[in-house]
Amino acid sequence: MERAWRNWYLIPYAAWLVLFVIAPLVFLVYESFLDIDGQWTLANYEKVLTPIYLKMMAYSFWYALLITLASLLIGYPTAYWLTKTRHKQLWLLLLILPMWVNLLLKVYAFLGLFGTYGLANAFLQAIGVGARQLLFTDFSFVFVSVYIFIPFMVLPIFNALEELPPSLIDAARDLGASGWTTFRRVVFPLTLSGVKAGCQAVFIPALSLFMITRLIAGNRVITLGTAIEQHFLVTQDWGMGATIAVVLMIAMAVIVFLTGSGRKEGSR
Amino acid sequence: MKRLVQGFAAIFIAAFALMFMTHRLNEAEGYGGDKTVSVYNWGDYIDPALIRKFEKETGWKVVYQTFDSNEAMMAKIAQGGATFDVAVPSDYAISKMIEENLLLPLDHSKLPNLKYIEPRFLDLSFDPHNRYSVPYFWGTVGIVYNRGMLGGKTITSWNDLWDPDLRNQILLVDGAREVMGMALNSLGYSLNDTNKQHLQEAKRKLDRLMPNVKAIVGDEIKLLLANEEAAVGVVWSGDAAEIISENEALDYVVPKEGSNLWFDNMVIPKTAKNIEGAHAFINFMLDPKHAAQNAEYVGYSTPNRAALRYLPKDIANDRRFYPDLDAAGRLEVYENLGKRMLAYYNELFLQFKMQQK
């Protein structure tokens, strides 16, 4: 009796899983084997392996890597500093606050800021560097992406640092380790789970960015996300769009597998 | 746990109360039920005063919704989730929707004002005999340029864009048909060309344009050009009119090699419920006075010949936006090239975009 009841609880979750996870995946894979006229074909996968899509894939990975590294370099010290401040919750809230603003609005704001006559260039001129083109460059693309993704990097690292017992650091210091050694040998290894989770949370969505590539990079950066959007909305070649999506998902799965699931070793 | 349950209960109650209130409000204002005409149009593409006037004159209530691309609009109508009584797709989208059986034929006896439309804008290739659609606005694709930033230089042709002096000064719209069409026209080919050799040639020509291209953008091109982010832009005439009204230093030209002539037409989608009201709305918009008022508000060119009389002289006589159509035999409407050809256009356009400087 008891057991029967327990299985009932599973129904909403199982239904959710089937309807919104498994079924769409099956459709996506199915669609990827159809050509533009709805005939069975492997041509989409052959096309993904042509230089143009391989190049696009390489760009996507390169920029996602840059965005993740920059987020980590800024995010880790930020998270570390956050754990040391007195009004943690307030600072954390300030970090999360921009996430409540619509993404499109934030990106549009950068159009104004980075424009030829925008604030950023006014500042560069004032400090004597001189105006330069910021919009539609690799730099601005990575900058804006990092700005968007940084909370996703900081939060898991912050949590990992919070869970770190302070006594471990005291012990390291008592045993004569310098500040840097303590960080390198104790703090960083123990927060690696947070770093992994943060990197995954940034790298994976960064792989398929599309709106920012048009608005901030003026289509000078073309990622797989742009291609998927094009194929679904403009070309109506759903098969090709689905194929790129499947390839991206496989790539993401490989990344998650290689970096290990973030939580395993660290927390307990 | 108890707090959580209480919280959820509060949210549920609030949501139901709000739903009930909107329902009551809609009823009180005459929405819901069959007293409405739902109109599906591009954003910022109608004078709201006309909607109020239509409601007052006919007693129908208008439910107005907007879309931002033909593809998004078609997807919504094809899926049939929502009913729209009137929609305003562009030329190539109309032929596609006819092909896919998404439109209802119009009853011309209920559209007496159709006689005011310029005959040249009727019976076009995308909808022979206007069985399914009547023109709402029309326009061209051309070049907006900033006289100040170009130091008095003028632009008259597509080929002027390849001028080395324009390095990093051009913004393009992110549309395969527009950009490929521009290259085809600059080579003297039709913008509906389906000869793959010609298309390859056009793509190679585009590659040589890349050093001059600053960015390939969407709707934000209006903002960027008005802010003088670049000196030259390839845009639709309606957008050009809007940008020029914001920045007087800008001018618009339809290049002499030829260009695209486009139409946005009113149609009745298959999902329509209020066919009577839809015809009434279309006929109302075809009235010359209403068409003129709408054209003045929106800034696009009206296909309504009788409406030109009601427009201010400086608008009706502006050759940039009302070009002499006899001299403009070189203007072509996009033909529906079929999915495969469109995919090929997009493939070449994508390859062009992938070029690094």
Side-chain angles (χ1 to χ4, degrees):
Chain A
M1 195 64 198
E2 178 94 342
R3 176 162 301 168
W5 268 112
R6 205 169 290 156
N7 288 339
W8 281 107
Y9 294 143
L10 273 174
I11 285 179
Y13 179 65
W16 176 273
L17 214 61
V18 169
L19 276 177
F20 298 113
V21 181
I22 296 171
L25 276 178
V26 171
F27 275 126
L28 196 71
V29 174
Y30 170 75
E31 196 77 50
S32 74
F33 286 107
L34 297 181
D35 71 3
I36 201 161
D37 299 320
Q39 304 293 320
W40 283 95
T41 180
L42 283 172
N44 292 332
Y45 285 92
E46 281 166 25
K47 214 162 159 194
V48 164
L49 296 174
T50 55
I52 178 161
Y53 284 101
L54 287 177
K55 207 166 129 193
M56 208 185 298
M57 223 177 290
Y59 282 144
S60 302
F61 273 88
W62 169 242
Y63 284 110
L65 196 71
L66 276 183
I67 292 164
T68 312
L69 277 180
S71 306
L72 181 62
L73 283 178
I74 303 168
Y76 201 100
T78 310
Y80 193 78
W81 174 79
L82 271 174
T83 56
K84 303 281 171 233
T85 49
R86 192 160 343 147
H87 304 289
K88 263 181 235 174
Q89 292 311 322
L90 176 71
W91 290 113
L92 213 54
L93 184 74
L94 287 179
L95 186 82
I96 297 169
L97 207 61
M99 290 167 75
W100 298 351
V101 177
N102 183 293
L103 179 67
L104 196 63
L105 277 182
K106 285 185 284 189
V107 175
Y108 256 88
F110 275 103
L111 269 185
L113 283 174
F114 280 170
T116 313
Y117 307 101
L119 264 180
N121 262 322
F123 172 75
L124 285 179
Q125 247 161 350
I127 61 167
V129 180
R132 55 192 58 214
Q133 184 185 343
L134 295 171
L135 219 50
F136 314 130
T137 59
D138 292 5
F139 164 78
S140 59
F141 172 66
V142 174
F143 186 94
V144 174
S145 308
V146 168
Y147 164 79
I148 304 269
F149 284 127
I150 205 111
F152 299 100
M153 181 63 87
V154 173
L155 287 177
I157 299 179
F158 173 81
N159 285 334
L161 282 165
E162 280 281 276
E163 282 172 15
L164 189 74
S167 52
L168 287 177
I169 297 168
D170 292 340
R173 298 308 294 264
D174 280 349
L175 293 167
S178 70
W180 171 240
T181 313
T182 312
F183 175 77
R184 198 166 55 89
R185 303 293 291 271
V186 180
V187 179
F188 190 72
L190 285 173
T191 53
L192 207 56
S193 64
V195 172
K196 277 181 184 168
C199 285
Q200 283 177 7
V202 173
F203 188 82
I204 290 173
L207 261 184
S208 54
L209 274 177
F210 62 96
M211 192 183 60
I212 303 174
T213 55
R214 195 192 78 201
L215 282 167
I216 297 296
N219 272 317
R220 305 317 307 259
V221 173
I222 304 275
T223 59
L224 292 171
T226 330
I228 296 177
E229 191 207 12
Q230 278 253 324
H231 282 303
F232 273 95
L233 285 180
V234 186
T235 330
Q236 311 267 304
D237 188 355
W238 286 25
M240 195 61 214
T243 308
I244 304 173
V246 169
V247 170
L248 253 182
M249 273 193 323
I250 294 170
M252 289 172 184
V254 169
I255 292 160
V256 173
F257 178 75
L258 287 182
T259 51
S261 55
R263 301 257 78 196
K264 221 184 292 168
E265 311 120 66
S267 56
R268 216 128 294 186
Chain B
M1 188 62 191
K2 200 175 159 208
R3 294 262 306 265
L4 200 66
V5 171
Q6 279 172 347
F8 269 121
I11 291 171
F12 263 115
I13 291 165
F16 272 111
L18 282 172
M19 262 163 65
F20 180 70
M21 267 159 61
T22 33
H23 186 71
R24 288 299 296 269
L25 272 175
N26 279 342
E27 262 178 5
E29 282 176 26
Y31 294 105
D34 50 5
K35 290 293 292 165
T36 64
V37 181
S38 67
V39 178
Y40 199 30
N41 199 353
W42 298 82
D44 203 16
Y45 209 36
I46 196 168
D47 182 352
L50 284 172
I51 295 182
R52 287 194 295 276
K53 191 171 175 201
F54 173 77
E55 290 179 334
K56 215 185 236 167
E57 276 184 14
T58 61
W60 302 106
K61 280 276 170 189
V62 173
V63 180
Y64 192 76
Q65 290 186 67
T66 61
F67 57 85
D68 57 11
S69 80
N70 280 304
E71 286 72 22
M73 178 265 309
M74 276 191 275
K76 211 159 175 186
I77 286 173
Q79 270 144 28
T83 60
F84 299 108
D85 299 317
V86 178
V88 188
S90 310
D91 36 54
Y92 71 95
I94 292 170
S95 64
K96 218 169 179 176
M97 290 173 87
I98 295 173
E99 232 169 63
E100 289 171 23
N101 247 328
L102 292 175
L103 299 181
L104 293 177
L106 300 175
D107 181 351
H108 285 216
S109 69
K110 287 183 184 146
L111 304 171
N113 288 338
L114 191 57
K115 63 173 185 274
Y116 295 118
I117 297 291
E118 165 80 43
R120 235 181 300 238
F121 296 149
L122 294 172
D123 193 20
L124 291 163
S125 62
F126 58 84
D127 179 22
H129 308 299
N130 290 81
R131 256 171 67 78
Y132 297 95
S133 74
V134 296
Y136 183 67
F137 279 119
W138 67 280
T140 52
V141 171
I143 303 170
V144 162
Y145 62 97
N146 189 316
R147 274 164 295 163
M149 288 171 81
L150 291 180
K153 192 186 273 195
T154 56
I155 288 180
T156 56
S157 75
W158 289 123
N159 278 302
D160 287 345
L161 295 181
W162 274 262
D163 184 341
D165 287 350
L166 293 181
R167 204 181 162 81
N168 208 22
Q169 282 294 359
I170 300 176
L171 297 178
L172 298 178
V173 284
D174 189 9
R177 287 301 298 265
E178 284 72 24
V179 175
M180 288 298 294
M182 158 186 109
L184 286 166
N185 276 156
S186 79
L187 290 164
Y189 299 133
S190 158
L191 46 71
N192 291 313
D193 208 321
T194 53
N195 180 326
K196 290 202 173 175
Q197 251 158 13
H198 293 173
L199 289 169
Q200 287 285 350
E201 195 183 338
K203 194 257 167 189
R204 282 195 299 275
K205 181 150 189 192
L206 279 179
D207 288 345
R208 291 201 297 281
L209 181 67
M210 205 36 142
N212 287 358
V213 177
K214 187 168 190 184
I216 302 163
V217 291
D219 261 343
E220 57 282 4
I221 197 165
K222 292 189 272 185
L223 177 91
L224 295 167
L225 285 168
N227 288 346
E228 309 203 327
E229 203 62 58
V232 181
V234 174
V235 296
W236 289 281
S237 55
D239 286 352
E242 201 181 320
I243 309 166
I244 291 173
S245 72
E246 271 171 48
N247 188 335
E248 289 292 322
L250 295 165
D251 210 343
Y252 177 74
V253 62
V254 180
K256 61 182 178 206
E257 296 100 327
S259 184
N260 166 233
L261 178 68
W262 56 258
F263 292 89
D264 286 338
N265 282 19
M266 293 181 277
V267 300
I268 303 183
K270 196 122 227 173
T271 55
K273 278 200 180 130
N274 185 354
I275 303 198
E276 186 76 34
H279 280 94
F281 183 82
I282 294 175
N283 198 47
F284 177 87
M285 294 309 294
L286 290 174
D287 180 278
K289 276 189 181 152
H290 300 154
Q293 185 183 338
N294 204 26
E296 207 180 335
Y297 177 89
V298 178
Y300 278 58
S301 315
T302 177
N304 198 310
R305 192 168 45 173
L308 292 178
R309 270 186 291 136
Y310 299 102
L311 277 174
K313 279 268 171 306
D314 58 320
I315 295 182
N317 293 331
D318 192 334
R319 285 283 158 256
R320 294 174 301 185
F321 300 111
Y322 290 94
D324 186 356
L325 283 161
D326 289 322
R330 57 210 162 81
L331 292 178
E332 291 174 278
V333 181
Y334 288 137
E335 280 162 26
N336 181 5
L337 301 176
K339 264 188 176 182
R340 275 190 185 277
M341 208 60 217
L342 185 65
Y344 190 67
Y345 266 69
N346 273 286
E347 192 69 37
L348 291 177
F349 183 52
L350 191 64
Q351 282 175 25
F352 159 65
K353 287 200 283 187
M354 292 282 295
Q355 294 283 324
Q356 293 293 298
K357 273 195 193 176

